[in-house]
Each structure stands twice: as structure tokens, then as C-alpha cells.
Amino acid sequence: YWCETKSVNAWVQVLEDTMSQAVVDLSPGSGALAEACMKIGAQYFGLVFDKIHFQWLSNVVDRASLQYICAQGGVLYQADLATHVKELFSDHIAGGDVDEDTCDLSDEDGAGAEHA
């Protein structure tokens, strides 16, 4: 189910409470669990069953990774890389914080909207 109800923060709390360092997700849904793993630095492996969901989920994870690279104090943050990412992708990461509601991510060409 692509628009699950658990937020990234809820998944972060579950991962921290269980001290998880790796996740194998047989039903990745909206990508919230993948993003939570990225946020805390846990390894993530998700299994999708069609190309449409794979592409959509890849876009969600790519956008989130750009935002986490630019977030000081995060596990993906690197000052030099963050500077370049902000220069190249400022239109995709505007607003600063990671959008918790991955079901409403906008897409320039609108391709993702029909699948959300």
C-alpha cells in the first residue's frame, strides 16, 4: 500500500526502540521506512514487484537523500557535498525539512501523481 499511515518519524522511533541496524522490507509501500533507515543510518533493502513502484520509490528516496545530505548533523551530511547539492538541486529541496508525507511529493512532469 503506497500511502501507508506511518510517518517517517514513527518508523524512526520503532527502529531506535528495536536498535535496528538493517531492514529487509517485503512491502516497501510509500518509502517511509526506507527514509527512516536513511535518517538513522540503518541499511535498507526493499522488494518491489513492478517497474512503476520501483521508479516511484526511487524518486522518493532520491529526493529524501538530497535533503538529508544537506541537513547538518545527519548521517549523510558532508559539507562540501551539501554545498554542491544545494547549488544543483535547490528547486527540488526547497523548504529545508524532509517532507514527511511522501504520498504528496510533487513531480515536475506529473508522472508520479497518477501512481500515488
Side-chain angles (χ1 to χ4, degrees):
Y1 184 58
W2 294 24
C3 290
E4 64 208 27
T5 58
K6 293 175 203 70
S7 68
V8 173
N9 287 335
W11 279 119
V12 166
Q13 189 63 52
V14 169
L15 294 170
E16 288 175 345
D17 288 349
T18 59
M19 295 181 278
S20 299
Q21 296 180 9
V23 171
V24 176
D25 190 354
L26 300 178
S27 179
S30 70
L33 180 55
E35 188 174 335
C37 287
M38 186 184 323
K39 189 172 185 175
I40 67 166
Q43 294 182 10
Y44 177 85
F45 177 82
L47 181 65
V48 295
F49 292 103
D50 63 33
K51 290 180 183 180
I52 293 170
H53 189 208
F54 172 77
Q55 185 60 52
W56 185 82
L57 194 58
S58 293
N59 291 340
V60 169
V61 171
D62 287 348
R63 181 167 295 170
S65 66
L66 290 174
Q67 292 172 338
Y68 286 123
I69 286 169
C70 296
Q72 288 185 350
V75 295
L76 296 180
Y77 178 76
Q78 293 179 10
D80 291 340
L81 181 57
T83 301
H84 294 298
V85 166
K86 287 177 185 177
E87 289 172 4
L88 296 171
F89 299 105
S90 61
D91 56 331
H92 296 286
I93 58 174
D97 292 336
V98 175
D99 186 3
E100 294 289 324
D101 191 2
T102 55
C103 295
D104 289 335
L105 285 174
S106 61
D107 192 343
E108 288 82 34
D109 63 3
E114 65 193 55
H115 304 294

